Amino acid sequence: MSLQRKQIVSSALSKHLSLSPEAPLGDLGGYDIKSLYLNILKSSGKRSPSKESEEVMKWISFAEIFPVDSSACFDALNGLNEVLALNSVLLGNGLTPSEADIIVFSVIHSSVIGLSHLEMEKLVHVMRWMDYIQSKVDFGKLFEKVLLKKDAFEFQLQGIKVDNKSEIDTNAKKTVENTKNKEKLEVDSSMKKSDAGNKSTGKKESAQEKKKPSETEAGEKDKEVSVSLLNLQVGLIRKAWKHPSADSLLVEEIDIGVAKLRQVVSGLAKFCSPDDLTNRRVVLITNVKPGKLRDVMSEGLVLCASNEDHTVVEPLLPPEGAKVGERVSFLGIDGKPEDVLNPKKKQLEKITPYLFTDDKGVATFKGIPFMTSGGPCTSSIPKASIK
């Protein structure tokens, strides 16, 4: 992370905790955000509850890996937008911004300021949250007001010349007249053919009745593409060997923290040797339906990153600090995974288009990192698809 970002985070946290911004912390270049936060917290004499502290650390990881690239940055902000659709603040009682809110706000602020008006409109929950943070915390002149661009745009609309306004009013009148004429024609038609009118009304009611289930179906569709349906666990490959009857396949025995090892068949033979995979950590989907691949039973799916032309493929890599068997989590996304994914519903096929690595190689779902107790899962392939 750049020194400038660290300085901004330091100043913002100091203001939030009512500390002097000049409080000595030494050379900020030697800090990451986590150590910076802990030192400032120590100086304030404040201690977070253990559970809240864990959540703060997750958001700190999000801030640490927040991308610089504009397209990847928007994807990450879009993921944050989904989290904030259900919450007024990231952590806390729903009213008071937490240290996590201040840290994330500080890191993303400059990126949000650089967005186009159209992009801001797509991130309505992020924009409201940032406006709320600035209304609750006196940052002084540290940050530009986020909604200035929107206000300026609205001001320009309010300053439209009278001639244009007259033109708009004229068009509006024409629209009203056209609408009235259309309604008159419909009434006349209805009077001539009352039976046809009744049928038409029946069709409209039927269409409205159909619309309600479609809205419900849309909600179910959103649920179906949630990554929470997948049981993603950190695994450790204990042994790997070539598939006995398929040159493109490898077989692995994977430890997920229970007595029995999982046997998994993967299409990695063209990209990795058995020795490359032995003792390697991987991210494993453990609730896919077991089945045989070329007569060899497979009880899971190793998630891999791939470049655009699929000439480079490698398994995602959980950090060393991650515990074998722990579930991979996603900030702001809760939910119980399916016991077994239903192949007929094609749940996995609906989720994988939203899995990709960002410009730093961090694995994400809609821009939200794959998180473990040791940090995010990564790949050496940036901007890769994940399957």
Side-chain angles (χ1 to χ4, degrees):
M1 173 168 289
S2 69
L3 180 60
Q4 184 181 11
R5 272 191 179 180
K6 293 175 187 176
Q7 289 171 334
I8 291 172
V9 171
S10 176
S11 298
L13 278 174
S14 295
K15 286 181 177 294
H16 175 63
L17 296 170
S18 302
L19 293 175
S20 168
E22 290 80 22
L25 283 173
D27 180 16
L28 292 183
Y31 288 94
D32 56 14
I33 291 186
K34 179 180 177 181
S35 56
L36 189 64
Y37 162 69
L38 292 175
N39 275 278
I40 292 175
L41 201 63
K42 184 179 179 181
S43 299
S44 71
K46 179 182 176 182
R47 289 187 179 181
S48 298
S50 58
K51 185 176 180 181
E52 181 181 321
S53 183
E54 288 178 13
E55 293 299 314
V56 172
M57 292 307 165
K58 288 181 181 179
W59 283 112
I60 284 175
S61 295
F62 173 87
E64 285 278 12
I65 62 176
F66 187 76
V68 177
D69 177 77
S70 57
S71 60
C73 160
F74 187 78
D75 289 334
L77 288 172
N78 199 39
L80 181 63
N81 193 60
E82 293 186 12
V83 173
L84 290 167
L86 303 174
N87 304 283
S88 57
V89 291
L90 298 179
L91 290 180
N93 59 12
L95 298 174
T96 306
S98 66
E99 286 82 25
D101 290 275
I102 305 304
I103 292 168
V104 174
F105 177 93
S106 304
V107 169
I108 72 171
H109 179 272
S110 60
S111 297
V112 173
I113 285 293
L115 295 175
S116 67
H117 183 66
L118 182 61
E119 287 172 324
M120 286 185 179
E121 285 184 340
K122 292 179 180 178
L123 299 172
V124 60
H125 304 300
V126 170
M127 302 305 295
R128 287 174 181 170
W129 167 74
M130 296 189 79
D131 184 55
Y132 182 72
I133 297 298
Q134 286 186 306
S135 71
K136 290 292 182 180
V137 182
D138 182 12
F139 291 118
K141 296 181 179 179
L142 187 59
F143 297 108
E144 179 184 341
K145 184 69 175 173
V146 172
L147 294 182
L148 277 178
K149 285 195 173 184
K150 182 179 178 182
D151 292 342
F153 181 74
E154 290 175 347
F155 179 77
Q156 288 171 5
L157 287 179
Q158 291 170 4
I160 292 175
K161 294 180 180 179
V162 176
D163 292 342
N164 290 343
K165 185 176 183 301
S166 299
E167 185 179 338
I168 292 170
D169 289 343
T170 302
N171 289 337
K173 287 178 182 177
K174 288 180 180 179
T175 302
V176 172
E177 289 172 1
N178 290 339
T179 303
K180 286 181 178 178
N181 291 336
K182 184 178 179 181
E183 288 174 350
K184 185 175 182 302
L185 288 172
E186 288 176 351
V187 170
D188 291 343
S189 177
S190 176
M191 290 175 66
K192 288 178 183 178
K193 297 182 180 181
S194 59
D195 290 342
N198 290 335
K199 288 180 182 179
S200 175
T201 303
K203 288 179 180 179
K204 287 180 181 179
E205 289 175 354
S206 177
Q208 289 177 348
E209 288 174 2
K210 288 180 180 179
K211 187 177 179 181
K212 290 179 181 179
S214 69
E215 289 171 357
T216 304
E217 286 168 9
E220 290 297 318
K221 186 178 179 181
D222 289 340
K223 184 179 178 182
E224 283 182 1
V225 298
S226 173
V227 74
S228 63
L229 295 177
L230 306 182
N231 194 12
L232 297 171
Q233 291 181 263
V234 175
L236 179 63
I237 298 177
R238 297 292 185 184
K239 184 180 178 182
W241 63 95
K242 292 182 178 180
H243 191 287
S245 57
D247 292 338
S248 63
L249 302 177
L250 294 178
V251 186
E252 305 100 27
E253 285 187 346
I254 303 178
D255 184 354
I256 55 169
V258 295
K260 183 185 175 184
L261 299 179
R262 288 275 183 128
Q263 180 171 283
V264 176
V265 179
S266 305
L268 289 168
K270 293 180 180 178
F271 311 100
C272 308
S273 70
D275 289 340
D276 292 333
L277 294 179
T278 304
N279 295 321
R280 179 189 172 106
R281 289 170 180 264
V282 292
V283 176
L284 185 68
I285 304 178
T286 56
N287 62 338
V288 293
K289 188 175 181 179
K292 289 186 176 182
L293 289 175
R294 298 289 293 268
D295 299 323
V296 176
M297 180 58 70
S298 182
E299 303 170 301
L301 179 66
V302 175
L303 279 182
C304 297
S306 168
N307 65 351
E308 191 172 355
D309 58 4
H310 304 293
T311 55
V312 182
V313 178
E314 66 178 25
L316 292 182
L317 185 63
E320 284 297 323
K323 298 174 183 176
V324 172
E326 75 168 276
R327 280 198 67 200
V328 175
S329 62
F330 299 83
L331 282 170
I333 300 179
D334 299 317
K336 185 181 178 182
E338 297 278 274
D339 291 332
V340 179
L341 295 175
N342 188 339
K344 292 182 180 179
K345 292 183 179 180
K346 297 186 177 180
Q347 294 159 308
L348 188 57
E349 289 85 344
K350 293 175 182 177
I351 294 170
T352 50
Y354 301 101
L355 304 180
F356 55 87
T357 62
D358 63 17
D359 59 340
K360 294 182 179 178
V362 174
T364 72
F365 168 73
K366 294 184 176 181
I368 303 173
F370 284 53
M371 287 302 299
T372 71
S373 60
C377 301
T378 59
S379 168
S380 65
I381 312 171
K383 298 182 180 180
S385 59
I386 299 174
K387 291 183 180 179

